Amino acid sequence: MDVEVRNIHKTFGKVHANNDISLVVKSGEVQGILGENGAGKSTLMKILSGFISLDAGSILLDGKEVTIGSPADSVKFGIGMLHQDPLDFPPLNVLDNLILGSRERMIPNRKKVRQEFVELQKQFDFSISPDAFIDSLSVGERQQLEIIRLLWLGAEVLILDEPTTGISAAQKIQLFAMVRKLSEQGKAILFVSHKLEEVEALCTQVAVFRQGMNVGQMLPPFDNDKLVEMMFGKILTRSDRKCCTQEKVNIEVSDLKIDDPRLPIKNVNFCIQKGEVIGLAGMEGSGQGLLLRALAGIIRPSGGHIWLCEENSSKKDFVGKHYFDFKDSGISFLPADRLDEGLIAGLDLREHFILAEKQKGFFVDAKAAMQLTEKRIKDFNIKGTAENMVESLSGGNQQRAELALLRQPLRLLLLDHPTRGLDIESTLYIWSKLKQRCSEGASIFFVSSDLDEILQYSDRILVFFGGKVSKPLDAGDVSVDQLGQLIGGRGWE
Amino acid sequence: MEKEKTKNPNQNSFLFNLLTNRASSMTLAVVFALVFTSLLVWMMKANPISVFQTIITGAFGSTNNFTQVIQAWVPLVLASLGLMFTFTAGLWNIGMEGQIVMGAIFSYGIIRIFDGSDASSALVIILCILAGILGGTLWAFLVGLLKNFGGVNEIFGGLGFNFIADAVMLFLVFGPWKPEGVANGSTKMLDTRFWLPQIEGTYLSLWALGIAIVCVILVTVILQGTYFGLKLKAVGKNNKSSFLLGIHTNRYMLLAFVLCGVLAGLTGALQVLGFNHVLRNNISGGYGYIGLMVGMLANIQPLITAPIAFIFIALSKGAAGLGIDLKLDSNLAGVIQGALVIFVLIMDGVRKVLIKKFKGVQSG
């Protein structure tokens, strides 16, 4: 089936997630879609699969305009989407999972379904037992099951959203073979990825998305440098960076290992100097968050050491210690989702400041707390009063409040997307406060998906790709292009 | 697109203000509850006005009636106060009933030890109260442990322990603790010297009333004036953030159960010493469950539990006369109570949805 989208627009509040996107995928093509996080790839895919509705534009299947109102509609039209996280029911077995999605009749014909499942499996050399329970399958097998389910439901167009995350190398080969076979059978395939290598290996054409727009198409042979430039846009100009790094080691990480079922990380080695800012670059979910949480003491590494170094060059290993020990040693973590794990919705600013300070006695001194709160509100330029519930503050003011809650002195500040969703003024303000902390000797470790921000503020950069961590790169020497290649998975080893 | 359409045609209209103002919305809920019950009464071919009249005279018509209301208010307010701790921590302590039962059992156990001895009655009474507190606390602590370390939801844990407490009670009153010769689901009556002192001619004990009033003040101060109360509230609102802010969340959740158990045990002990003067089946009087309703209506403000518990008890006691006077079932009080809770929750939900939809948009 041929798929065509014409002039698609979709906005979420102020964000123009899809801005006049047009794309044609003919039957038998494997269309790669590349782009940074937030480039609008997922939005378009969700529109095609009926999860969200478009604001303007049209979708044509085999030249006929259709309205896709729900995921069920899209299945009816023959569009199947493989989500990044499998959409299945772990407590049920494979057959029941297949049957659940079908809209045939009240009483399923298990015998027939079983037969069809086995036949479909044979085509692609998969070997999943129809009676296995989903929780006993690997991520790769669940993905295979999901694709088979979509085909079984009659999908003629397949959307694969970052399908190689979390599956084994062998399963990747199987997946690619399957995709080729399906395209030979005349299915249209949309392959969403940020991995240049995979796109190159598999796709018959590539479109690059940036900031909600389709910025260009390319046919093989693919020019890598050109693709990277298209993905990240302009060559960045750098403004002056003030460096506060002192020649004193603050924290030393050696052979750190983190066990995560989807993204095991190992062999992480680096030092953090006092006053240094280290930026963590990479596509979202490449392991930055895990390392950040391990350094904060929230998740426990399965091996290696985190040494906290003192002035007199003695050092203590903190691996295996409790989060509160990390916190008491001046290591603080600010999460990306501020209302989920930073602030407490339903409490006002004053109550937050009381909680963040050291407890004195049994009763709360309401007057002192009020004074402290008012001082902090002024110091940090928070637009709000002591009695404002935190959820009523804007994102920028919530982030200011979080910074105001940090205790003195700080050794290491771990930030997950510190300026996500903030306007320019707040961003500049937050960074001026962070830099102030650096000049006081704290080190900063931050994750951002904004490459500009990383280049602008970091002294050194760690790049993440699929759980691999690069050596620290000096931010002064590295080019945007180099970073882009590393983020896309090129130039490793 | 759709959001644009529904957005705020009449934000300043009278109806909008009526529904989003807390006081007027709650008043409306009470009115709805009364209208709803009136309709029911009318469908049963009785006169709603005379029903409410009967309830009011039943509760306040005589000194005797009034003291009975006060007397029954004590256990309900204590149970509701206990639940303030668990509600604040975001927990549903359905196990309150069982905790009251265990409090009563432990308390009566002390009576059995000292029965026939010449120990001072004040000492025995104090020991009974302490033992009751121990029993309630133990039962609550178990639920908390299961929740924290076994991953058992406190609602199921609490419900399970309620059944166990009931079984223990039945075993005792029909088994080892049954009075000689009869098995009527009750032990023999306490020696009067172990009764909490009562006002002459009534069943009302000023001691019990005093304990209840002290508890109202204590719980209010603890929850609204101390670090402990604030931390408990933080844990209830957002466990993850609280942990990251440095609060021992597990410890605080356990403490919420423990404190709730303390008040449950106290309630059980007073039920034995002050009101029933026996240990019997159903000694908890359902106060654990009614306390949940009171707690919900009080919206975690301990001071408010006092008047709400009073209204609830006045309704139940007042409705006792319905059967005799109007040939209606006295369970009508339960209907009114339930209707109150449901309408208050509905109106509160409406209020929140409206506010979120029309006022919250600006900041988003």
Side-chain angles (χ1 to χ4, degrees):
Chain A
M1 188 158 39
D2 300 343
V3 191
E4 184 179 356
V5 295
R6 279 190 196 156
N7 313 100
I8 300 275
H9 285 270
K10 177 75 192 177
T11 53
F12 297 107
K14 284 181 205 153
V15 182
H16 212 144
N18 273 183
N19 187 357
D20 202 31
I21 286 192
S22 299
L23 195 65
V24 185
V25 188
K26 292 250 187 279
S27 157
E29 299 268 16
V30 181
Q31 168 79 51
I33 296 175
L34 274 173
E36 275 191 285
N37 295 124
K41 299 169 295 187
S42 293
T43 306
L44 184 66
M45 298 310 124
K46 282 183 181 157
I47 288 175
L48 275 175
S49 57
F51 277 84
I52 49 183
S53 58
L54 40 78
D55 291 349
S58 48
I59 300 170
L60 290 88
L61 297 177
D62 280 338
K64 260 184 288 175
E65 187 166 346
V66 293
T67 315
I68 300 174
S70 68
D73 272 2
S74 106
V75 171
K76 206 175 66 197
F77 289 129
I79 300 175
M81 173 149 173
L82 175 73
H83 291 260
Q84 222 171 327
D85 293 303
L87 286 183
D88 49 19
F89 299 84
L92 302 182
N93 71 20
V94 169
L95 265 193
D96 287 338
N97 263 281
L98 275 185
I99 291 164
L100 261 177
S102 86
R103 23 172 56 219
E104 278 187 11
R105 23 179 178 147
M106 291 288 286
I107 300 160
N109 182 347
R110 278 164 196 281
K111 217 166 148 192
K112 191 168 140 249
V113 175
R114 180 186 294 265
Q115 210 181 343
E116 288 168 349
F117 175 74
V118 172
E119 271 165 27
L120 268 173
Q121 268 212 109
K122 227 187 268 162
Q123 272 189 47
F124 304 105
D125 297 328
F126 293 167
S127 52
I128 305 168
S129 156
D131 300 309
F133 282 88
I134 302 294
D135 19 15
S136 69
L137 302 181
S138 69
V139 175
E141 286 174 317
R142 288 166 71 174
Q143 195 181 58
Q144 294 174 348
L145 168 65
E146 188 71 7
I147 297 177
I148 288 189
R149 192 179 72 85
L150 294 171
L151 295 174
W152 183 70
L153 287 172
E156 287 296 317
V157 179
L158 265 184
I159 302 171
L160 310 176
D161 189 8
E162 308 274 2
T164 55
T165 322
I167 66 174
S168 70
Q171 284 164 339
K172 193 161 128 184
I173 293 168
Q174 269 185 316
L175 174 75
F176 280 21
M178 178 185 204
V179 169
R180 292 201 186 94
K181 199 159 191 177
L182 289 173
S183 85
E184 277 163 28
Q185 289 175 7
K187 313 245 190 274
I189 289 161
L190 286 92
F191 185 85
V192 180
S193 181
H194 57 255
K195 293 175 186 158
L196 298 172
E197 231 160 84
E198 294 174 357
V199 169
E200 199 178 0
L202 201 59
C203 298
T204 57
Q205 56 186 27
V206 171
V208 180
F209 283 21
R210 192 175 74 232
Q211 288 169 355
M213 284 181 283
N214 182 350
V215 291
Q217 288 264 22
M218 202 187 273
L219 293 168
F222 300 116
D223 176 353
N224 253 305
D225 295 340
K226 187 82 196 302
L227 284 177
V228 168
E229 199 196 311
M230 278 156 75
M231 271 168 84
F232 294 102
K234 64 195 187 292
I235 305 297
L236 299 170
T237 47
R238 294 205 197 134
S239 51
D240 291 338
R241 287 181 296 115
K242 200 176 114 224
C243 180
C244 313
T245 310
Q246 303 166 17
E247 288 298 315
K248 282 182 209 140
V249 179
N250 187 355
I251 285 167
E252 206 182 311
V253 175
S254 58
D255 298 323
L256 199 70
K257 201 175 144 205
I258 303 167
D259 277 342
D260 183 84
R262 291 195 62 170
L263 205 68
I265 295 178
K266 54 189 172 190
N267 290 332
V268 185
N269 289 290
F270 59 85
C271 279
I272 310 174
Q273 312 286 108
K274 279 200 156 185
E276 189 181 24
V277 180
I278 295 187
L280 275 57
M283 285 294 162
E284 223 159 288
S286 303
Q288 308 95 305
L290 288 174
L291 182 61
L292 210 62
R293 276 155 201 273
L295 286 181
I298 297 168
I299 53 177
R300 200 162 280 199
S302 55
H305 309 279
I306 300 172
W307 300 101
L308 267 57
C309 308
E310 301 300 334
E311 291 281 324
N312 57 12
S313 72
S314 67
K315 53 185 190 177
K316 245 190 282 170
D317 188 5
F318 262 59
V319 164
K321 291 210 179 203
H322 193 265
Y323 164 72
F324 290 162
D325 294 325
F326 280 75
K327 197 176 168 64
D328 289 340
S329 320
I331 297 180
S332 274
F333 168 70
L334 293 195
D337 192 337
R338 292 179 275 267
L339 283 181
D340 184 44
E341 43 183 7
L343 302 169
I344 300 165
L347 295 193
D348 61 26
L349 274 176
R350 189 181 54 90
E351 288 173 314
H352 276 86
F353 285 108
I354 300 170
L355 287 172
E357 287 300 304
K358 278 237 153 61
Q359 183 171 341
K360 294 183 206 89
F362 186 68
F363 294 99
V364 175
D365 184 345
K367 220 172 168 187
M370 199 66 184
Q371 277 168 358
L372 175 81
T373 308
E374 267 160 9
K375 183 169 177 300
R376 293 279 175 86
I377 286 178
K378 226 171 104 203
D379 288 353
F380 283 81
N381 207 4
I382 300 169
K383 288 186 197 76
T385 67
E387 280 97 8
N388 271 139
M389 296 291 167
V390 284
E391 68 268 28
S392 70
L393 302 177
S394 72
N397 284 309
Q398 284 175 7
Q399 190 67 307
R400 285 167 206 230
E402 283 220 75
L403 288 181
L405 286 171
L406 295 173
R407 283 193 210 155
Q408 299 278 8
L410 270 185
R411 174 191 281 271
L412 172 65
L413 188 50
L414 303 154
L415 304 143
D416 198 357
H417 293 89
T419 60
R420 176 187 275 176
L422 303 192
D423 55 29
I424 296 165
E425 190 230 332
S426 287
T427 303
L428 290 175
Y429 186 85
I430 298 284
W431 272 107
S432 73
K433 282 286 177 193
L434 292 175
K435 279 288 180 186
Q436 194 184 320
R437 288 284 190 167
C438 286
S439 63
E440 290 162 15
S443 308
I444 286 183
F445 211 72
F446 79 102
V447 176
S448 176
S449 38
D450 183 352
L451 222 47
D452 293 14
E453 187 178 29
I454 289 193
L455 283 163
Q456 168 98 43
Y457 295 107
S458 318
D459 298 316
R460 289 191 295 162
I461 298 170
L462 293 176
V463 183
F464 286 71
F465 177 76
K468 279 189 281 188
V469 186
S470 76
K471 294 253 161 344
L473 308 168
D474 205 322
D477 303 337
V478 73
S479 70
V480 181
D481 196 48
Q482 258 174 302
L483 273 184
Q485 297 271 0
L486 280 171
I487 291 172
R490 302 218 132 235
W492 290 78
E493 270 124 311
Chain B
M1 291 293 264
E2 257 176 62
K3 263 181 198 157
E4 298 295 321
K5 273 179 224 156
T6 50
K7 200 174 168 182
N8 116 53
N10 48 3
Q11 247 201 59
N12 294 318
S13 77
F14 172 70
L15 187 66
F16 182 81
N17 283 326
L18 188 75
L19 291 176
T20 51
N21 176 294
R22 183 171 198 109
S24 61
S25 136
M26 289 303 107
T27 317
L28 218 54
V30 174
V31 172
F32 283 150
L34 291 180
V35 169
F36 173 76
T37 25
S38 303
L39 271 175
L40 277 185
V41 169
W42 175 74
M43 276 161 62
M44 290 186 293
K45 305 214 164 45
N47 182 355
I49 307 272
S50 54
V51 165
F52 292 120
Q53 261 171 359
T54 313
I55 290 177
I56 287 168
T57 40
F60 309 113
S62 69
T63 326
N64 185 32
N65 292 359
F66 187 62
T67 52
Q68 277 189 26
V69 170
I70 300 281
Q71 183 205 10
W73 174 77
V74 170
L76 180 59
V77 83
L78 285 176
S80 315
L81 285 171
L83 290 165
M84 287 297 108
F85 289 109
T86 40
F87 271 130
T88 302
L91 300 164
W92 282 85
N93 186 14
I94 304 287
M96 190 76 184
E97 278 284 301
Q99 290 147 25
I100 296 175
V101 169
M102 278 330 258
I105 290 175
F106 271 55
S107 172
Y108 189 79
I110 296 290
I111 296 282
R112 280 184 63 89
I113 292 171
F114 288 96
D115 201 19
S117 77
D118 52 2
S120 104
S121 16
L123 179 77
V124 174
I125 288 176
I126 288 171
L127 278 179
C128 279
I129 289 178
L130 290 179
I133 289 174
L134 180 70
T137 308
L138 179 75
W139 227 233
F141 190 61
L142 288 175
V143 177
L145 282 182
L146 277 179
K147 159 96 181 172
N148 267 357
F149 302 108
V152 179
N153 186 306
E154 78 275 11
I155 295 181
F156 302 124
L159 213 50
F161 277 100
N162 283 354
F163 285 118
I164 299 175
D166 277 344
V168 172
M169 172 69 95
L170 287 174
F171 165 73
L172 289 174
V173 294
F174 284 107
W177 289 3
K178 74 168 193 264
E180 265 167 62
V182 279
N184 57 357
S186 150
T187 59
K188 75 172 183 156
M189 189 156 306
L190 268 61
D191 203 337
T192 43
R193 70 191 189 97
F194 297 140
W195 294 20
L196 274 184
Q198 295 172 338
I199 299 175
E200 275 290 319
T202 72
Y203 290 109
L204 183 62
S205 159
L206 283 182
W207 282 97
L209 183 62
I211 290 175
I213 290 170
V214 168
C215 284
V216 171
I217 295 164
L218 259 181
V219 174
T220 306
V221 170
I222 291 176
L223 282 182
Q224 298 185 340
T226 65
Y227 281 98
F228 174 80
L230 183 57
K231 287 183 180 177
L232 207 57
K233 186 170 155 191
V235 171
K237 298 262 183 208
N238 187 337
N239 203 307
K240 253 198 268 174
S241 293
S242 303
F243 178 76
L244 289 179
L245 269 175
I247 301 172
H248 292 268
T249 48
N250 275 351
R251 204 178 289 172
Y252 275 81
M253 288 206 304
L254 260 185
L255 271 172
F257 275 113
V258 164
L259 288 174
C260 187
V262 165
L263 280 151
L266 181 61
T267 312
L270 293 186
Q271 284 289 78
V272 171
L273 300 170
F275 315 117
N276 288 284
H277 308 305
V278 291
L279 185 69
R280 61 170 176 79
N281 196 13
N282 296 328
I283 195 159
S284 60
Y287 290 128
Y289 294 131
I290 306 175
L292 283 168
M293 293 205 275
V294 174
M296 268 189 284
L297 289 187
N299 197 30
I300 326 191
Q301 295 171 63
L303 218 48
I304 310 278
T305 56
I308 293 179
F310 186 78
I311 294 170
F312 267 58
I313 284 300
L315 278 170
S316 319
K317 289 284 160 191
L322 287 176
I324 307 149
D325 297 357
L326 297 170
K327 306 275 177 282
L328 286 170
D329 196 311
S330 61
N331 281 330
L332 193 63
V335 175
I336 303 177
Q337 288 167 352
L340 263 177
V341 173
I342 287 169
F343 280 106
V344 165
L345 291 183
I346 289 175
M347 294 309 289
D348 203 42
V350 168
R351 190 174 65 90
K352 280 178 184 153
V353 167
L354 284 177
I355 289 177
K356 198 171 167 194
K357 211 162 180 181
F358 296 116
K359 292 189 176 164
V361 177
Q362 299 154 352
S363 63

